[in-house]
Amino acid sequence: MVGEALTPRGAADLARTFKALGDPVRLRVLSLIAARNGGEVCVCEITDAFDLTGPTISYHLKQLRGAGLVDCQRRGTWVYYWIVPAKLAGLSQFLDPTSPGIASFEPAAQG
């Protein structure tokens, strides 16, 4: 999958990312946010799209944030989420067998 072996840190980060993606609810949440094509999604919209409680959705969003796949900002009562494009690009590059190797799948700097 890569031209070079992953560094230990890179492997740990990549495993954390795949673990976050290993849940169907989180995949759906990520896809809902990604469908905005770079736009933001209010947590209220995410919660309304599922037959789950608010705390359950918050837990899944926390896992996606912890993996660096999404980021957010609180505005008043609501929190808005968006995709972190660099993280998804890194996953795509790792999974693309034609892509040059990435020896370190290091997390992108977060602001």
Side-chain angles (χ1 to χ4, degrees):
M1 290 183 144
V2 295
E4 299 177 42
L6 290 167
T7 64
R9 181 176 175 197
D13 184 58
L14 190 57
R16 188 172 32 260
T17 302
F18 280 121
K19 183 176 180 181
L21 292 173
D23 182 277
V25 171
R26 288 193 286 270
L27 278 174
R28 285 188 57 215
V29 169
L30 186 68
S31 126
L32 182 97
I33 298 168
R36 289 292 171 94
N37 295 321
E40 302 171 342
V41 180
C42 177
V43 70
C44 61
E45 295 175 66
I46 298 168
T47 304
D48 288 347
F50 292 86
D51 190 23
L52 298 168
T53 65
T56 300
I57 294 297
S58 292
Y59 168 79
H60 288 296
L61 286 164
K62 181 179 178 182
Q63 299 304 306
L64 292 171
R65 283 192 67 215
L69 293 162
V70 299
D71 205 353
C72 67
Q73 181 182 48
R74 176 173 292 281
R75 296 185 200 138
T77 309
W78 300 110
V79 179
Y80 291 82
Y81 288 85
W82 58 87
I83 292 294
V84 176
K87 187 71 168 199
L88 291 182
L91 283 176
S92 296
Q93 183 181 7
F94 178 78
L95 293 171
D96 182 357
T98 64
S99 176
I102 53 171
S104 62
F105 186 80
E106 306 299 336
Q110 296 188 4

